[in-house]
C-alpha cells in the first residue's frame, strides 16, 4: 500500500496520512481530496510513501487525487516549508493559503482557452491615426496594442460592453481569437522597446546585478526619490528575460501597480505579464496564477501574496519600496514577503534586488555588514533635490491647521499655475469630537480608539472596526449642545483651503474618495492633465506616483508621529516624509517642501532637511545597538486575545512561565496590553521574546509553540508573530 502525507488547512501543526494506491513520487505537490472528520477537505501532498504515523488499519484512503492541475514543484514546496517553519505556522495551512482561492475547492474552473490578439490589419489600424470613434472599441484597441493578447477576462475589464466591441473588431478583421499559449513558447522571443540611456550609477548597478544572473546575490538598490531605480529593475529584467527566465516584481500596494504595469508592458511589448494582488477577482487571480505556473507569463507583478506563486523558470526577483510595511502580513501567517524574496533567491540561486530611497534599517544593516551588496543612486536623474524647509508653528495659533507662510506659498504656486500637494495623514474631517463642558470625547465602544468625524456624511466612524454612528445633537454625558471637532483630517483641510482659495480646483485623495474601483485612475489622469491645482491627501499619495507639475508639498501634523511608543516610529516617519517630499519637482523645476512643526529642532527634521539618509540611519542604528533592538537582536511576539483583558494577560503569564522553563538564553518580557488594547470588542495583549541569535530563538519558538499547543484549552486565542513590525 502507498501512503501519502498531506497538509490540510487545519489549526494544528501536523500533517495527515492517507492511503493512495496509485500515488507516485510525481504526485508530491498535488492537491488531494481527503476525508477529515465528518467532512472532506482539500489538501496538498507533501510526501509519498511515508510510513504512516498511526497503525495502517486506521489510515483512510484519499477520496480523489487531482491530477488535472499542475502541482507545486519541489522548489515551491521548499520555500513554503521554510516559511511555515520560520514563521511558526502550520505547514498545511501555509500550503493551502498559497493556492488561489478557487483551487482550495475541488472543482476549479477549467482554464479559459481563447485569447484575443490584433491581426496585422489591426496593428496597422491601432498604430495609425484614430480610425474608430466608438470609445469602447478605441479602448480595446489601445489595450491590445501594448500586449501580445488579452484573455477573455481582460477583455471584460476594459468596459462592461467590451464583449460587443470585441465582436465588432473580430468581424472587421482587426482582431482574431486564438488558443491560449500552453507554455513559455510565446514569451521567449522578448522584444524590448527603447530604454533611456542610463546614467553612470544606473549602468554600474545594472552591471553588478546582471553579473549575478544564474547565481545567488542580494542587492540593496538605495536610490533617492527620482534617481531612476525603475530603469535599473527594467534593465535587469530585460537581461533575465533574454536568458529565458521569468521575473518576479513585488510592489507594496495596489495603487502603485497600474502605473508600473503600464511602464513594464510598454517596455516589453511582446511579453506576457501576469498581475497578482488582492484587488483581483478570484477568477482572474486563478488565471494569472496558472499563466505564471505554466511559464506562459514571463513577468509577474504582484503584492506580497505573489511571493509564493510557482515560477518554474524564475531568474530574478525585484522588491520595490522594500521598506514598505505591507510586505509583512500581520495576521495568521505572519510572513514577510521581502525577507522570503531573499530566501527564495538563495534557494533558487538567483539575484534579488531590494530597492528603496529609505531602506528598512534591517536591510541597510545587512548591506553595511556585507550580507547584501549596496548599490547607490545618489542623484536624481533630471532634477535637483527638493528644498525642504520647516515652518515653526504654535498649534494653538493656527488657522484650521494651516500656517500663514504655507498659505502664502500655496498662493504663489497658484499664481505660477503649479500644483501643490498638502499632505495630512488622517482622513475624515476631525479625528475626534469633544465636549468642552465635561471633557467627553467620541470614543468607540468596541475599540480603544476615537470615532472620527465625517462631516459630509454626518457620521462618526471608527477607522479600526468600522463601527459607524450618527453625530449626536448634544453631549451624551452632560447634554451640552456645543460639541466641537478637535484636530484636522483631509476633509477639514480641503474645506479650509476652499475658503482661502475659492478659485482653486482642489482634489481630495484618501481612501474615502478612492473607494470606487476606477476612481483613482481617473484622478491621476486629471492631475496629469493639470485639471487640479491643489491636492489634499494621505499617504496614498506618498508612493511612487510621478506628478510632473507638482511644485510645492506642504506637510501637516507630522509631529504626532515623532514621539511614539514603537521604536520603529522615527524610521517610518522619515521614510514617509522622504517619499512625500520626493513628489515635488521631479521634472524640470526644483521642488519646494514645507513642513509645519512645533519641534523644529528635532533631529529627524534636521536630517530630513539635509537629505541625508545615511546620517540618519547611522544615528538610529547606534540607538538600536545600545537599546538592543533589531537588527541587533531578533524578536517574536506572542499575541493573545480574549473577551476580558485579564484572561489574555493570564494566558501570557503562563506562557512566560513555560518559556522560562524551556530556555535561559532567550529574553522574555512581561505581558502587556497591545497598543490598541481593545479592538472590535476583543481585548488584546502581547508578550515579547528576543534573542541575539536567530537560531537559538527559532529553536526556542519551536519548542514553546509545541508546549503552548498542548496546554489545556484556554479562553484566550493566541498566535506567534516572528520578526514583528508593530509592537
Ligand atoms: P525612483 O523610482 O528612483 O524614485 P524613477 O524610476 O521613478 O525614480 O525615475 C524618475 C524619473 O526619471 C522617471 O520619470 C524616469 O522615467 C526618469 N528616468 C529614469 N532613468 C532615466 C535615464 N537614464 N534617463 C532619462 N530619464 C530617466
Ligand atoms: Zn459634556
Ligand atoms: Zn471601533
Amino acid at each position: 500500500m502507498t501512503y501519502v502525507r498531506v497538509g490540510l488547512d487545519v489549526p494544528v501543526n501536523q500533517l495527515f496520512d492517507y492511503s493512495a494506491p496509485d500515488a507516485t513520487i510525481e504526485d508530491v505537490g498535488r492537491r488531494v481530496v481527503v476525508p477529515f472528520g465528518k467532512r472532506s477537505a482539500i489538501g496538498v501532498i507533501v510526501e509519498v510513501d511515508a510510513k504512516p504515523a498511526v497503525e495502517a488499519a486506521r489510515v483512510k484512503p484519499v477520496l480523489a487525487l487531482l491530477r488535472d492541475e499542475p502541482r507545486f514543484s519541489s522548489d515551491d514546496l521548499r520555500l513554503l516549508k521554510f516559511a511555515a517553519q520560520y514563521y511558526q505556522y502550520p505547514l498545511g495551512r501555509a500550503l493551502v493559503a498559497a493556492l488561489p482561492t478557487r483551487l482550495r475547492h475541488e472543482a476549479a474552473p477549467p482554464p479559459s482557452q481563447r485569447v484575443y490578439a490584433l491581426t496585422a490589419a489591426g496593428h496597422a489600424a491601432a498604430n495609425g491615426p484614430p480610425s474608430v470613434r466608438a470609445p469602447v472599441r478605441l479602448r480595446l484597441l489601445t489595450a491590445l496594442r501594448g500586449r501580445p493578447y488579452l484573455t477573455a477576462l481582460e477583455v471584460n475589464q476594459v468596459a462592461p460592453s467590451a464583449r460587443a466591441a470585441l465582436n465588432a473588431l473580430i468581424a472587421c478583421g482587426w482582431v482574431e481569437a486564438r488558443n491560449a499559449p500552453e507554455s513559455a513558447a510565446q514569451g521567449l522571443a522578448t522584444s524590448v522597446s527603447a530604454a533611456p540611456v542610463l546614467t553612470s550609477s544606473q549602468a554600474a548597478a545594472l552591471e553588478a546585478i546582471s553579473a549575478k544572473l544564474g547565481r545567488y546575490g542580494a542587492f540593496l538598490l538605495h536610490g533617492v526619490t527620482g534617481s531612476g531605480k525603475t530603469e535599473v529593475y527594467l534593465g535587469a529584467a530585460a537581461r533575465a528575460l533574454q536568458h529565458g527566465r521569468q521575473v518576479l516584481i513585488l510592489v507594496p500596494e495596489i495603487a502603485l501597480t497600474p502605473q508600473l504595469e503600464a511602464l513594464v508592458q510598454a517596455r516589453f511589448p511582446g511579453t506576457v505579464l501576469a498581475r497578482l494582488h488582492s484587488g483581483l477577482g478570484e477568477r482572474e487571480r486563478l488565471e494569472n496564477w496558472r499563466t505564471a505556473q505554466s511559464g506562459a507569463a514571463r513577468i509577474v507583478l504582484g503584492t506580497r501574496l505573489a511571493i509564493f506563486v510557482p515560477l518554474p523558470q524564475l531568474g530574478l526577483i525585484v522588491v520595490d519600496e522594500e521598506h514598505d510595511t505591507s510586505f509583512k502580513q500581520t495576521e495568521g501567517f505572519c510572513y514577510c514577503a521581502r525577507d522570503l524574496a531573499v530566501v527564495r533567491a538563495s534557494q533558487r540561486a538567483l539575484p534579488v534586488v531590494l530597492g528603496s530611497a529609505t531602506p528598512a534599517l534591517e536591510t541597510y544593516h545587512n548591506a553595511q555588514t556585507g550580507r547584501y551588496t549596496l548599490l547607490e543612486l545618489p542623484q536624481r536623474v533630471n532634477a535637483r533635490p527638493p528644498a525642504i524647509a520647516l515652518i515653526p508653528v504654535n498649534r494653538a495659533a493656527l488657522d484650521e491647521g494651516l500656517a500663514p507662510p504655507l498659505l502664502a506659498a500655496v498662493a504663489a504656486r497658484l499664481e505660477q499655475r503649479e500644483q501643490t500637494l498638502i499632505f495630512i495623514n488622517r482622513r475624515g474631517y476631525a479625528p475626534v469630537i469633544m465636549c468642552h463642558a465635561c471633557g467627553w470625547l467620541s470614543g468607540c465602544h468596541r475599540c480603544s480608539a476615537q470615532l472620527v468625524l465625517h462631516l459630509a456624511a454626518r457620521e462618526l466612524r471608527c477607522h479600526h472596526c468600522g463601527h459607524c454612528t450618527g453625530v449626536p445633537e448634544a453631549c451624551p454625558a452632560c447634554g451640552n449642545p456645543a460639541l466641537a471637532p478637535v484636530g484636522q483630517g483631509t476633509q477639514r483641510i480641503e474645506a479650509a483651503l476652499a475658503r482661502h482659495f475659492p478659485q482653486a480646483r482642489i482634489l481630495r485623495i484618501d481612501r474615502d474618495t478612492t473607494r470606487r474601483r476606477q476612481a483613482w485612475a481617473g484622478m491621476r489622469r486629471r492631475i496629469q492633465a493639470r485639471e487640479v491645482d491643489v491636492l489634499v491627501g494621505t499617504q496614498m499619495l506618498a508612493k511612487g506616483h510621478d506628478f510632473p507639475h507638482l511644485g510645492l508639498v506642504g506637510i501637516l501634523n507630522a509631529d504626532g508621529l515623532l514621539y511614539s511608543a514603537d521604536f520603529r516610529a522615527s524610521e517610518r516617519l522619515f521614510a514617509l516624509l522622504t517619499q512625500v517630499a520626493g513628489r515635488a519637482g521631479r521634472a524640470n523645476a526644483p521642488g519646494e517642501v514645507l513642513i509645519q512643526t512645533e519641534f523644529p529642532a528635532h533631529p529627524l527634521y534636521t536630517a530630513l532637511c539635509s537629505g541625508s539618509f545615511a546620517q540618519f540611519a547611522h544615528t538610529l542604528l547606534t540607538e538600536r545597538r545600545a537599546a538592543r533592538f533589531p537588527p541587533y537582536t531578533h524578536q517574536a511576539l506572542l499575541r493573545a486575545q480574549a473577551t476580558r483583558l485579564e484572561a489574555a494577560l493570564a494566558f501570557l503569564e503562563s506562557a512566560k512561565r513555560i518559556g522560562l522553563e524551556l530556555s535561559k538564553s532567550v529574553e522574555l518580557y512581561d505581558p502587556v496590553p497591545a497598543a490598541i488594547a481593545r479592538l472590535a470588542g476583543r481585548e488584546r495583549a502581547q508578550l515579547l521574546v528576543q534573542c541575539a541569535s536567530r537560531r537559538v530563538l527559532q529553536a526556542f519558538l519551536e519548542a514553546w509553540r509545541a508546549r503552548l499547543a498542548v496546554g489545556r484549552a484556554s479562553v484566550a486565542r493566541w498566535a506567534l508573530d516572528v520578526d514583528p513590525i508593530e509592537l
Side-chain angles (χ1 to χ4, degrees):
M1 179 52 77
T2 308
Y3 297 98
V4 292
R5 187 153 288 169
V6 174
L8 296 172
D9 183 19
V10 291
V12 290
N13 188 28
Q14 187 194 326
L15 300 169
F16 298 87
D17 295 327
Y18 293 92
S19 60
D22 65 337
T24 74
I25 200 75
E26 288 297 304
D27 292 312
V28 172
R30 266 200 227 293
R31 297 179 310 140
V32 278
V33 188
V34 295
F36 190 77
K38 290 198 170 63
R39 61 189 176 102
S40 68
I42 282 270
V44 175
I45 298 180
V46 180
E47 259 179 76
V48 169
D49 233 359
K51 195 169 156 315
V54 296
E55 79 193 73
R58 287 176 50 209
V59 176
K60 293 183 184 152
V62 303
L63 300 174
L65 213 170
L66 304 176
R67 290 197 170 113
D68 49 337
E69 206 64 49
R71 60 197 185 113
F72 279 123
S73 69
S74 58
D75 284 329
D76 304 332
L77 290 176
R78 201 167 152 216
L79 179 68
L80 280 157
K81 280 181 185 166
F82 173 89
Q85 182 166 34
Y86 184 82
Y87 293 104
Q88 304 293 332
Y89 194 70
L91 177 59
R93 299 205 104 172
L95 287 166
V96 176
L99 291 168
T101 323
R102 290 278 174 108
L103 291 184
R104 296 177 209 161
H105 307 290
E106 192 171 341
S112 75
Q113 299 296 323
R114 304 297 269 173
V115 298
Y116 303 92
L118 288 179
T119 59
H123 267 294
N127 289 314
S131 45
V132 209
R133 282 253 199 75
V136 176
R137 272 185 237 178
L138 202 58
R139 270 163 69 186
L140 207 50
L141 282 179
T142 314
L144 283 160
R145 193 172 56 187
R147 311 273 302 261
Y149 60 75
L150 293 180
T151 63
L153 268 168
E154 288 167 332
V155 167
N156 289 338
Q157 275 161 12
V158 169
S161 62
R163 195 73 217 182
L166 179 75
N167 289 336
L169 292 173
I170 293 173
C172 72
W174 287 3
V175 171
E176 64 184 6
R178 299 186 197 145
N179 281 333
E182 291 268 302
S183 70
Q186 172 165 12
L188 286 179
T190 306
S191 68
V192 178
S193 73
V197 178
L198 296 185
T199 64
S200 57
S201 34
Q202 282 175 324
L206 176 57
E207 282 319 311
I209 299 163
S210 306
K212 283 280 185 179
L213 286 172
R215 285 181 293 155
Y216 169 69
F219 297 91
L220 167 58
L221 181 62
H222 176 216
V224 300
T225 53
S227 61
K229 292 184 286 295
T230 314
E231 281 305 328
V232 178
Y233 306 150
L234 294 178
R239 305 266 177 105
L241 293 171
Q242 279 153 11
H243 280 72
R245 295 280 152 189
Q246 291 172 294
V247 178
L248 173 62
I249 304 177
L250 296 180
V251 294
E253 269 183 29
I254 312 163
L256 193 72
T257 41
Q259 224 174 16
L260 188 59
E261 187 185 339
L263 196 65
V264 173
Q265 195 68 73
R267 183 62 55 82
F268 306 111
T271 301
V272 180
L273 176 71
R275 301 174 302 152
L276 280 172
H277 57 75
S278 52
L280 298 179
E282 284 178 15
R283 180 81 208 240
E284 196 181 356
R285 216 148 112 190
L286 173 61
E287 294 276 327
N288 290 353
W289 200 83
R290 281 169 167 157
T291 58
Q293 186 177 38
S294 71
R298 308 310 296 172
I299 304 179
V300 172
L301 189 58
T303 51
R304 68 167 178 255
L305 56 92
I307 188 61
F308 295 116
V309 69
L311 290 160
Q313 292 138 7
L314 184 61
L316 171 72
I317 308 178
V318 171
V319 184
D320 188 25
E321 308 290 1
E322 65 85 30
H323 64 279
D324 195 282
T325 53
S326 72
F327 288 120
K328 176 83 158 100
Q329 184 143 302
T330 50
E331 260 167 34
F333 189 10
C334 294
Y335 64 91
C336 173
R338 178 242 292 148
D339 294 345
L340 286 179
V342 176
V343 172
R344 192 170 189 182
S346 138
Q347 290 182 342
R348 304 275 298 263
L350 48 92
V352 55
V353 183
L354 312 179
S356 176
T358 50
L361 286 182
E362 284 83 353
T363 307
Y364 195 65
H365 180 67
N366 280 331
Q368 296 213 306
T369 54
R371 285 188 60 191
Y372 300 169
T373 305
L374 180 62
L375 305 170
E376 300 215 68
L377 306 179
Q379 256 124 39
R380 285 188 164 194
V381 176
N382 48 17
R384 275 180 282 151
I388 305 180
L390 303 173
I391 303 180
V393 296
N394 168 358
R395 199 174 349 176
L398 289 179
D399 174 7
E400 300 245 42
L402 294 160
L406 181 58
L407 289 168
V410 176
R413 296 288 163 170
L414 282 170
E415 195 93 328
Q416 293 158 32
R417 304 192 40 76
E418 280 182 4
Q419 287 172 337
T420 295
L421 160 63
I422 302 293
F423 171 80
I424 174 163
N425 209 15
R426 208 178 251 147
R427 65 198 168 89
Y429 187 83
V432 63
I433 60 173
M434 182 179 183
C435 167
H436 285 294
C438 76
W440 174 86
L441 290 170
S442 56
C444 177
H445 67 290
R446 308 177 67 208
C447 306
S448 23
Q450 313 288 10
L451 292 175
V452 177
L453 173 63
H454 285 250
L455 198 60
R458 299 215 54 82
E459 273 175 355
L460 293 174
R461 293 184 196 156
C462 176
H463 288 184
H464 297 280
C465 73
H467 171 69
C468 199
T469 171
V471 181
E473 300 283 327
C475 172
C478 76
N480 169 21
L483 292 174
V486 180
Q488 294 88 28
T490 47
Q491 294 175 10
R492 194 171 194 177
I493 296 300
E494 180 190 21
L497 286 166
R499 257 196 317 282
H500 282 285
F501 307 108
Q503 77 288 11
R505 296 163 299 178
I506 301 173
L507 179 65
R508 172 163 59 90
I509 298 169
D510 55 27
R511 260 203 289 146
D512 297 314
T513 60
T514 54
R515 203 148 295 203
R516 271 191 319 108
R517 234 174 119 79
Q518 295 298 328
W520 177 215
M523 290 180 178
R524 246 189 11 245
R525 270 197 297 276
R526 282 173 59 199
I527 298 167
Q528 257 142 24
R530 305 179 86 152
E531 291 166 17
V532 176
D533 302 310
V534 182
L535 316 173
V536 178
T538 57
Q539 63 180 337
M540 280 194 67
L541 281 178
K543 306 218 166 122
H545 304 295
D546 212 349
F547 299 131
H549 315 297
L550 195 65
L552 171 68
V553 170
I555 295 175
L556 311 182
N557 290 11
D559 289 347
L561 295 164
L562 282 177
Y563 300 99
S564 155
D566 191 330
F567 71 88
R568 284 193 179 85
S570 9
E571 176 185 355
R572 300 253 166 85
L573 182 59
F574 190 87
L576 179 62
L577 296 184
T578 303
Q579 297 263 336
V580 178
R583 299 309 111 213
R586 290 175 68 114
N588 28 38
E592 180 185 15
V593 180
L594 295 173
I595 304 175
Q596 288 187 188
T597 173
E598 291 182 69
F599 308 100
H602 195 285
L604 187 143
Y605 290 133
T606 317
L608 199 68
C609 291
S610 71
S612 168
F613 174 82
Q615 182 201 327
F616 186 64
H618 178 75
T619 311
L620 289 188
L621 283 170
T622 310
E623 284 171 19
R624 296 261 183 107
R625 184 194 307 242
R628 285 183 307 119
F629 280 141
Y632 301 98
T633 187
H634 303 284
Q635 298 183 326
L637 205 57
L638 179 62
R639 300 183 201 275
Q641 51 167 277
T643 44
R644 288 180 318 114
L645 187 60
E646 300 75 57
L649 288 169
F651 166 78
L652 294 176
E653 280 298 347
S654 74
K656 180 176 176 181
R657 277 193 300 276
I658 294 173
L660 289 172
E661 281 168 29
L662 284 174
S663 170
K664 297 275 170 288
S665 7
V666 301
E667 211 176 332
L668 289 141
Y669 283 73
D670 285 331
V672 290
I676 296 178
R678 191 173 163 77
L679 189 76
R682 305 278 297 175
E683 300 287 346
R684 300 153 354 123
Q686 61 196 32
L687 162 58
L688 181 67
V689 193
Q690 70 179 38
C691 181
S693 155
R694 202 187 282 281
R695 209 174 37 77
V696 171
L697 181 62
Q698 279 290 312
F700 167 76
L701 292 175
E702 185 92 51
W704 199 32
R705 176 167 66 136
R707 284 285 299 275
L708 295 177
V710 297
R712 65 193 164 77
S714 157
V715 287
R717 281 208 317 231
W718 59 272
L720 271 170
D721 183 351
V722 178
D723 301 334
I725 57 162
E726 243 138 62
L727 294 186

